[in-house]
Amino acid sequence: MRFFSRIGTVAAAATVLTGMTALQMTLVGIGNITDFATNQEFVRHVLAMDTTFQSPNMMWRAITSPGLADAAYIAIIAWELLTALALVAGFAAWMRAHLAGRPPTTAKQLSNVGWVMQLTLFGVGFIAIGGEWFQMWQSSKWNGLQPAVHNLIIASFGLVLTHLAAKGSLRAADVPDDSSS
């Protein structure tokens, strides 16, 4: 019963979500490196605004330089990998805290850094800048808002979960054991 009371804690859920998000962001970063051209094309089209409604009042925002678009794409990949690194470190710290029965202070900090980085990338980078500044929402082919929202929700939930874990306890000894009644 102690095993189930331990894996049923908010801290255990935060650990799993940190690990899952770390894996996802690692795969996203590696995917963008190993299949560079696919999302390079995505970034170039979004920044060029070539599949938007092409309103003359908006097109001055377009970036058509392949070099600038590629620099933005490389910056995105670097940010994804740094986010993954923070989340991997957070997951490792959660696991160490669980095994040692210690408060997960470092785990919470590292997870929060990773999730804030993820929020920044997808909320600021993809939704605000890509979606609104470069009018990505107008494109039927190069619209990445749906995946951006998914990532924003995961990171937001992770932050909430981590802060809830800060209010609870990590140790299974603090969880009531139903078998003693």
Side-chain angles (χ1 to χ4, degrees):
M1 194 51 115
R2 196 174 275 277
F3 172 75
F4 290 112
S5 65
R6 183 173 281 184
I7 66 167
T9 65
V10 175
T15 304
V16 170
L17 188 61
T18 303
M20 181 205 76
T21 312
L23 176 62
Q24 181 216 3
M25 289 306 297
T26 300
L27 294 174
V28 166
I30 290 171
N32 282 334
I33 291 169
T34 58
D35 186 19
F36 191 85
T38 298
N39 281 329
Q40 176 188 36
E41 201 64 22
F42 173 86
V43 171
R44 284 183 176 182
H45 282 288
V46 169
L47 296 183
M49 299 173 67
D50 57 0
T51 60
T52 64
F53 301 159
Q54 307 224 343
S55 166
N57 297 324
M58 296 290 189
M59 290 308 292
W60 63 270
R61 300 175 179 181
I63 296 174
T64 56
S65 163
L68 286 176
D70 290 349
Y73 181 42
I74 290 167
I76 289 168
I77 293 170
W79 193 264
E80 290 166 347
L81 293 173
L82 288 171
T83 302
L85 184 64
L87 290 165
V88 166
F91 177 68
W94 277 108
M95 294 304 292
R96 281 192 307 273
H98 282 293
L99 292 172
R102 293 191 188 129
T105 307
T106 302
K108 292 173 189 175
Q109 291 169 341
L110 289 168
S111 297
N112 284 340
V113 166
W115 282 320
V116 168
M117 290 178 72
Q118 188 174 3
L119 283 173
T120 303
L121 177 63
F122 291 101
V124 175
F126 284 83
I127 294 173
I129 296 172
E132 290 303 320
W133 184 257
F134 291 106
Q135 302 291 290
M136 181 171 61
W137 64 271
Q138 294 178 0
S139 177
S140 61
K141 184 171 183 183
W142 303 105
N143 185 345
L145 290 175
Q146 189 75 16
V149 169
H150 292 164
N151 280 282
L152 190 77
I153 290 169
I154 291 167
S156 299
F157 185 69
L159 286 168
V160 169
L161 196 59
T162 301
H163 288 280
L164 287 174
K167 304 234 183 277
S169 174
L170 177 68
R171 298 177 312 172
D174 293 338
V175 178
D177 187 358
D178 293 342
S179 65
S180 62
S181 16

